[in-house]
Amino acid sequence: MPESMCAMVYESAGTPLHWRKMPVPTPGPGEVRIAVSVCGVCRTDLHIVDGELPHPKASLIPGHEIVGVVESCGPGVSSPALGERVGVPWLGWTCGACPFCLSGHENLCDHPAFTGYTRDGGYAEYVVCDARYCLPIPGRYDDALAAPLLCAGLIGYRTLRMAGDARRIGIYGFGAAAHLVTQIAVAEQRKVFAFTRAGDTAAQQLALQTGASWAGSSDQSAPELLDAALIFAPVGALIPQALLAVAKGGAVVCGGIHMSDIPSFPYRLLWEERKLMSVANLTRADGLALMRVASAIPLKVHVTPYRLQDANTALDDLRAGRVAGAAVLRVNA
């Protein structure tokens, strides 16, 4: 076992991640150490390094779409087992004692810890995680294809479930989450309309390839009234547009952790029992449910691979909208 590992480290907003040699972490009680194979690059990582999410861990190793193999277990761990392939998502620990945890809403825990934000994540060769928050990975997906399931897939899945039984769904912002949730929605016999940045023909083509019935720019009108709109782009100005596009009783669900300010809009856009909701984090139950869905539905995961040391390039490409599908760092793959 080596004493040191390579990692990409975040120090302060507005500066690139730094390539560092660091001590290999030791798992404590209830924890496992994972040899990282790959780690997805999520828009939340971008919000962290751009300083849009406050109070990250000092000298933080980002990354919360981790796939790897358990190679050491701390005291008290019986599962997952040594040698088991697992995935590590955003939610890394909850208190288990607050009203939200006790009522089955651990995603709203009062005292949570988040992988790649308040505890070190997967932009490194090794990561230590709470064993209870590791998820099994369906065997049909290799490591790189499995990584986006751990956040893009999970948040997309929870966002879709919050839309209830909506049949006509608009998706605003077509990236990693959208291209996965579109396939799930289509498999459930729903109709998907994709809205992208103006002129983003690559995203529109990806939307059509993954089953969308229509793809166009976010400033265009939907070809049909929507039952629900799912918003993955961090653009507050999309909220009034989406409310205008949904039918009476429809829902607008915001799937991101950060969004620019929502402009004022007339009450008539919300009237007639339209609903505006946000998604916060995920639960372990969400994770297990998505893995069952991903086992049953052969999701086509579109990834763009990068080397670990090229994490800054991956973040730049994501910021500029140059990534079709999901960016994934190859660590030990």
Side-chain angles (χ1 to χ4, degrees), residues 181-198:
V181 77
T182 293
Q183 296 175 68
I184 296 172
V186 170
E188 295 175 346
Q189 305 301 309
R190 308 181 196 230
K191 197 172 184 180
V192 174
F193 305 89
F195 298 83
T196 73
R197 298 185 192 195

Side-chain angles (χ1 to χ4, degrees), residues 185-254:
V186 170
E188 295 175 346
Q189 305 301 309
R190 308 181 196 230
K191 197 172 184 180
V192 174
F193 305 89
F195 298 83
T196 73
R197 298 185 192 195
D200 193 344
T201 55
Q204 291 169 16
Q205 187 62 35
L206 178 59
L208 296 172
Q209 289 173 357
T210 50
S213 298
W214 174 91
S217 299
S218 58
D219 57 358
Q220 293 181 263
S221 297
E224 299 179 28
L225 271 178
L226 306 174
D227 300 312
L230 315 183
I231 300 184
F232 296 113
V235 181
L238 291 174
I239 300 294
Q241 290 178 231
L243 284 169
L244 185 63
V246 299
K248 293 181 285 187
V252 174
V253 189
C254 304

Side-chain angles (χ1 to χ4, degrees), residues 8-20 49-50 311-313 315-316 319:
M8 295 296 287
V9 180
Y10 167 79
E11 296 289 0
S12 61
T15 62
L17 302 181
H18 301 283
W19 177 256
R20 294 270 172 81
V49 302
D50 286 348
N312 287 310
T313 301
L315 290 166
D316 288 342
R319 186 185 292 107

